């Protein structure tokens, strides 16, 4: 059975409906796990309008990791593979078909995740030569949105880490399933448009630097989870480098510098205090 999971939080309803309209043509079940959005009435209308849609409302914002686990708990009873999507990530039918084409191939043992190529929605892309790229390749740290995830792999590692809430959630899950022998492949002929923050490119000392402009709430979890990820998997020096880069980009190129700086600093402190 083909099933899909969407995590929502204060969704832009028009984009969510566009997503559901596509998924309804190929999916037998679409589950939306909602992190206590303010527009619940709109979501209820969607559930009433689409027979394939089931919405699970959480009583608070528990974060993307917890919401994903709730959705997997529900869908794992009816399917071995779950297509995971953010509320604003659109995957076309042809791209969904490409992902599923890898599921039953004999040349892949212990396949844990199949991902599309990610195209940043806020950037221009030149598709010249795309037809000549390889059919697939191994990847290490894809984002979850747009990925076809093995329920068996999810169960084996105990799901996503609820403590992470958001940011590095995907990295942590990817590494854990790879560490126990599952493969992650990118299907190069499937693509998805995905927005990461509000990207702008700034020119600094003759270099182009991407600045994501996440809000203070996200900055907190980015800095915190960089430290926690390192505590779990090693690479503490790399975590500190990531946080220094995060601080520098925020202070040099973003608005609301002081508010975001305080959030990053608090995240670092809480990451240091975090015990496994």
């Amino acid at each position: 059975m083909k099933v899909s999971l969407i995590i929502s939080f204060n969704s832009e309803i028009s984009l969510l409906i566009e997503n559901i309209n596509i998924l309804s043509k190929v999916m037998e079940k679409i589950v939306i796990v909602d992190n206590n959005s303010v527009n619940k009435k709109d979501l209820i209308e969607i559930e009433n309008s689409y027979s394939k849609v089931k919405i699970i409302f959480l009583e608070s914002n528990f974060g993307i990791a917890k919401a994903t686990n709730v959705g997997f708990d529900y869908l794992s009873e009816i399917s071995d593979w779950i297509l995971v999507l953010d509320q604003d990530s659109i995957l076309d039918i042809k791209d969904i078909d490409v992902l599923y084409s890898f599921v039953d191939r004999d040349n892949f043992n212990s396949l844990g995740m199949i991902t599309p190529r990610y195209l940043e929605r806020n950037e221009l892309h030149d598709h010249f030569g795309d037809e000549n790229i390889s059919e697939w390749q191994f990847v290490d740290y894809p984002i979850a949105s747009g990925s076809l995830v093995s329920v068996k792999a999810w169960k084996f590692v105990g799901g996503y880490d609820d403590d992470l809430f958001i940011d590095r959630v995907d990295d942590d899950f990817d590494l854990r399933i790879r560490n126990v022998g599952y493969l992650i492949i990118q299907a190069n002929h499937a693509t998805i448009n995905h927005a990461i923050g509000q990207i702008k490119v700034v020119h600094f000392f003759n270099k182009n630097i991407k600045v994501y402009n996440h809000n203070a709430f996200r900055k907190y979890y980015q800095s915190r989870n960089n430290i926690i990820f390192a505590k779990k998997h090693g690479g503490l020096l790399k975590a500190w480098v990531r946080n220094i880069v995060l601080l520098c980009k925020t202070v040099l190129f973003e608005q609301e510098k002081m508010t975001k700086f305080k959030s990053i600093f608090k995240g670092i402190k809480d990451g240091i205090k975090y015990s496994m």
Side-chain angles (χ1 to χ4, degrees):
M1 177 180 287
K2 291 183 178 180
V3 302
S4 183
L5 169 64
I6 300 173
I7 309 302
S8 70
F9 178 67
N10 296 336
S11 305
E12 184 178 334
I13 296 301
S14 60
L15 268 179
L16 184 59
I17 290 175
E18 180 183 353
N19 207 346
I20 292 170
N21 283 335
I22 293 172
L23 293 173
S24 295
K25 296 175 182 177
V26 290
M27 294 291 156
E28 295 167 77
K29 193 73 177 178
I30 303 164
V31 168
I32 300 172
V33 179
D34 181 71
N35 262 317
N36 199 33
S37 295
V38 297
N39 52 357
K40 289 183 181 178
K41 289 184 179 180
D42 293 325
L43 297 176
I44 291 171
E45 287 184 14
I46 288 175
E47 186 175 32
N48 292 335
S49 301
Y50 294 86
S51 60
K52 294 181 177 181
V53 173
K54 162 73 176 177
I55 301 183
I56 300 173
F57 291 101
L58 303 182
E59 63 271 21
S60 183
N61 183 3
F62 291 112
I64 195 168
K66 174 70 174 179
T68 303
N69 285 330
V70 169
F72 266 74
D73 278 332
Y74 183 91
L75 288 169
S76 62
E77 300 296 322
I78 58 176
S79 184
D80 295 328
W81 290 86
I82 297 173
L83 181 67
V84 180
L85 286 163
D86 287 350
Q87 58 199 22
D88 60 350
S89 296
I90 308 297
L91 197 61
D92 288 335
I93 292 175
K94 63 179 178 59
D95 298 308
I96 294 173
D97 290 340
V98 169
L99 295 180
Y100 273 98
S101 72
F102 287 88
V103 168
D104 296 319
R105 295 195 187 187
D106 294 333
N107 56 323
F108 291 111
N109 293 318
S110 298
L111 193 55
M113 187 185 301
I114 309 158
T115 76
R117 282 193 300 141
Y118 296 96
L119 304 178
E120 171 54 45
R121 186 178 300 131
N122 299 315
E123 296 179 351
L124 295 175
H125 300 280
D126 182 3
H127 295 278
F128 179 76
D130 280 2
E131 65 278 3
N132 296 321
I133 62 175
S134 62
E135 186 184 16
W136 64 272
Q137 66 189 65
F138 290 116
V139 287
D140 291 334
Y141 293 108
I143 61 176
S145 184
S147 294
L148 196 56
V149 181
S150 162
V151 168
K152 187 176 178 181
W154 171 80
K155 285 182 177 178
F156 193 89
V157 299
Y160 293 84
D161 186 347
D162 292 352
D163 284 349
L164 295 179
F165 194 87
I166 194 171
D167 287 299
R168 306 307 301 271
V169 170
D170 297 344
D171 291 345
D172 174 72
F173 180 76
D174 296 343
L175 183 56
R176 285 189 290 122
I177 67 170
R178 286 194 290 109
N179 281 346
V180 296
Y182 283 96
L183 305 177
I184 303 176
I185 65 169
Q186 177 177 286
N188 287 328
H189 294 153
T191 59
I192 184 171
N193 287 318
H194 183 78
I196 303 176
Q198 297 176 333
I199 287 182
K200 69 175 181 179
V201 177
V202 297
H203 303 285
F204 190 69
F205 286 99
N206 294 320
K207 290 187 177 181
N208 292 331
I209 299 174
K210 286 184 180 180
V211 180
Y212 292 95
N213 294 292
H214 287 118
N215 59 27
F217 179 81
R218 288 290 302 274
K219 299 285 188 186
Y220 167 80
Y221 281 104
Q222 287 165 356
S223 60
R224 169 187 178 267
N225 289 353
N226 284 336
I227 302 295
I228 295 175
F229 185 89
K231 285 185 173 183
K232 293 180 69 174
H233 306 295
L236 193 57
L237 177 60
K238 185 180 291 186
W240 280 106
V241 170
R242 289 176 73 113
N243 281 340
I244 290 169
V245 170
L246 181 64
L247 275 168
C248 290
K249 283 186 176 182
T250 301
V251 171
L252 289 173
F253 307 120
E254 297 190 18
Q255 303 296 319
E256 301 178 0
K257 302 177 190 297
M258 186 53 65
T259 301
K260 292 179 180 181
F261 179 88
K262 289 178 180 178
S263 291
I264 293 170
F265 189 65
K266 185 178 188 305
I268 291 172
K269 289 198 300 183
D270 288 351
I272 292 171
K273 292 188 290 186
Y274 180 86
S275 58
M276 303 291 291

